[in-house]
């Protein structure tokens, strides 16, 4: 094993009434990739904030290069070569790539005038971009970058600090498969250069592919460490939630009913001339698979009335319906749980109760005024039914974990008795325990007679949760699989247009 960079010894952190970390010890070496996993609330963020100098531990020590300290400041961490690539990207959109990399550390000229030396700044940044193999320049404005490029820019910032240890928090959560592959190559290069990478993710298959070891946290404590040969999704899940993978997926309790939603030759503006015909029956979960850009989300948006269908039609329970706006979809009982819950599914600065009742305010009004008691009663019923973990329904949605935010989005629609529920990436960015709860609720809804169309890029999720899988390729259905045909090879083969193997 390579040289030890940093050791955490018996790190404990108490907040009023809460033990965020309890007696956690870890060692990090040069040139290794360490996965850290755990459910939301397991202590991952607190531990990384201790490493980054944001939070001081209540007890325990941090040893860097043989020197023990009780805590670090942010400057201490930077000077020690510790860099943090946050899930929520920390970039200035009004500045260039180079300006973001060296913000506050720009080279100057001009004596007392302290003018930024743009030429030298670019010469400092270009080698960092070359090392990452990116296709943008130091002078590129940040708004011109894709999400994946911005993620790589954050890594360039870390490298500019001569980082020896880079902490990456959910770096692939918003990336496509090809963008993820590019990022993983960059991480492999960092490892080859002797940099230690701490990789926090809910995508366990990524850790199976490239982590040297994985540390699992639960309830603020380290509950196990897996060596490279031991790393598997099943082993990680067992440590994270104390039960095996199969228990997460629940089979249907009864046969499916008649077709509730029928899409007849639907065409969207994303794929002119490409027609989609399919059905979703009452009581079934249909997985809608395909590569990013295959047209899944575009069709979902059109079915919900956000965008217009440019051809074809929709039948609901055997009757033709016209849906030109979300209001018309809602009136028909067709609801959408959007891909980006924070931007499109929630008002983060409003309460749980306000979010749950937002789409059904007329049902919570008397004499034209919103009845607070009715709102609270509905919200409390959904809080209990979905096990939304918050002190009360007045808690702001923005203060909740990702899994609980997703439950609030579900609660908004479930209070209105859906007939068809379209879920676009329903578990993106949430931990495996919360995923299990979402899967259980979806199955419960299907068993109650609701037709569910689930768009997901998580292969394990599509295969585990679905009763049928419809695969889209470049705007058209390339195949439909029943459960006896489910396999990653078949789904991927159809997704890339090669058919089943």
């Amino acid at each position: 094993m390579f040289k030890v960079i940093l050791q955490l010894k018996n790190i404990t952190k108490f907040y009023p009434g809460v033990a965020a970390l309890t007696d956690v010890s870890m060692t990090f070496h040069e040139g290794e990739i360490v996965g850290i996993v755990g459910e939301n609330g397991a202590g991952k963020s607190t531990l990384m904030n201790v490493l980054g100098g944001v939070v001081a531990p209540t007890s325990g020590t941090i040893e860097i290069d043989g020197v023990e300290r009780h805590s670090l400041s942010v400057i201490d961490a930077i000077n020690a070569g510790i860099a943090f690539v946050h899930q929520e990207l920390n970039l200035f959109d009004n500045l260039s790539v180079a300006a973001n990399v060296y913000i506050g550390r720009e080279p100057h000229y001009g004596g007392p005038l302290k003018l930024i030396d743009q030429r030298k700044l670019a010469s400092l940044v270009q080698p960092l971009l070359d090392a990452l193999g990116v296709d943008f320049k130091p002078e590129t404005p940040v708004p011109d970058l894709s999400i994946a490029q911005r993620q790589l820019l954050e890594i360039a910032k870390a490298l500019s600090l001569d980082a020896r240890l880079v902490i990456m928090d959910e770096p692939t959560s918003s990336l496509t498969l090809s963008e993820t592959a590019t990022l993983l190559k960059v991480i492999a290069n960092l490892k080859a250069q002797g940099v230690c990478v701490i990789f926090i993710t809910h995508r366990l298959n990524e850790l199976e592919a490239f982590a040297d070891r994985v540390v699992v946290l639960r309830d603020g404590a380290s509950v196990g460490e897996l060596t490279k040969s031991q790393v598997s999704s099943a082993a990680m899940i067992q440590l994270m939630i104390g039960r095996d993978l199969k228990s997460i997926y629940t089979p249907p309790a009864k046969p499916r009913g008649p077709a509730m939603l029928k899409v007849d030759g639907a065409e969207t503006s994303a794929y002119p001339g490409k027609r989609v015909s399919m059905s979703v029956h009452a009581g079934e979960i249909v997985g809608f698979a395909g590569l990013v850009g295959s047209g899944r989300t575009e069709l979902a948006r059109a079915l919900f009335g956000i965008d217009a269908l440019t051809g074809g039609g929709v039948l609901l329970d055997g009757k033709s319906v016209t849906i030109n706006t979300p209001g018309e979809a809602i009136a028909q009982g067709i609801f959408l749980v959007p891909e980006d819950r924070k931007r499109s599914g929630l008002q983060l600065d409003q309460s749980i109760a306000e979010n749950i009742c937002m789409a059904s305010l007329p049902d919570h009004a008397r004499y034209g005024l919103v009845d607070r008691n009715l709102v609270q009663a509905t919200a409390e019923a959904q809080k209990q039914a979905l096990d939304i973990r918050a002190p009360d329904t007045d808690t702001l949605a923005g203060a909740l974990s990702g899994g609980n935010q997703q439950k609030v989005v579900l609660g908004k629609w479930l209070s209105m008795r859906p007939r068809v529920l379209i879920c676009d990436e329903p578990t993106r960015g949430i931990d495996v325990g919360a995923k299990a709860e979402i899967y259980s609720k979806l199955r419960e809804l299907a068993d109650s007679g609701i037709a569910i169309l689930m768009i997901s890029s998580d292969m394990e999720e599509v295969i585990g949760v679905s009763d049928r899988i419809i695969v889209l390729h470049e705007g058209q259905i390339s195949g439909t699989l029943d459960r006896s045909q489910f396999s990653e090879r078949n789904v991927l083969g159809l997704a890339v247009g090669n058919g089943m193997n």
Side-chain angles (χ1 to χ4, degrees), residues 222-418:
S222 175
V223 293
E225 181 175 313
L226 302 170
T227 63
K228 189 173 185 64
S229 62
Q230 296 171 323
V231 173
S232 69
S233 293
M236 287 184 276
I237 289 170
Q238 179 71 50
L239 286 171
M240 288 166 67
I241 63 176
R243 57 187 191 273
D244 64 25
L245 182 63
K246 292 181 180 178
S247 69
I248 291 179
Y249 305 120
T250 307
K254 57 183 75 171
R256 72 182 190 182
M260 179 62 70
L261 175 71
K262 189 172 183 181
V263 180
D264 186 14
E267 178 186 332
T268 67
S269 58
Y271 283 99
K274 302 290 183 71
R275 300 278 183 163
V276 174
S277 295
M278 64 181 193
S279 62
V280 184
H281 291 243
E284 76 168 342
I285 301 173
V286 173
F288 208 25
L291 302 180
V292 172
S294 62
R296 301 169 303 166
T297 293
E298 290 79 3
L299 182 59
R301 287 171 59 90
L303 292 175
F304 190 59
I306 299 173
D307 303 321
L309 283 175
T310 54
V314 176
L315 286 81
L316 186 66
D317 204 11
K319 298 177 181 178
S320 179
V321 294
T322 300
I323 301 171
N324 294 316
T325 67
E328 291 177 355
I330 291 169
Q332 298 287 350
I334 300 175
F335 303 147
L336 172 67
V337 177
E339 179 179 13
D340 190 337
R341 58 182 170 268
K342 290 186 177 181
R343 288 175 180 262
S344 306
L346 294 169
Q347 290 290 335
L348 297 177
D349 58 352
Q350 294 189 11
S351 69
I352 293 171
E354 289 168 324
N355 272 281
I356 285 177
C357 298
M358 187 180 301
S360 57
L361 281 179
D363 296 334
H364 295 85
R366 292 181 178 175
Y367 310 109
L369 298 175
V370 175
D371 186 320
R372 176 73 175 171
N373 291 330
L374 285 177
V375 168
Q376 290 290 1
T378 297
E380 185 60 35
Q382 292 301 325
K383 180 177 180 293
Q384 296 299 323
L386 293 166
D387 191 22
I388 298 171
R389 290 163 197 173
D392 52 52
T393 59
D394 290 326
T395 302
L396 296 183
L400 302 176
S401 68
N404 284 300
Q405 287 180 347
Q406 194 73 322
K407 292 178 186 178
V408 173
V409 179
L410 280 173
K412 174 172 62 178
W413 297 131
L414 300 187
S415 67
M416 299 172 64
R417 297 173 297 280

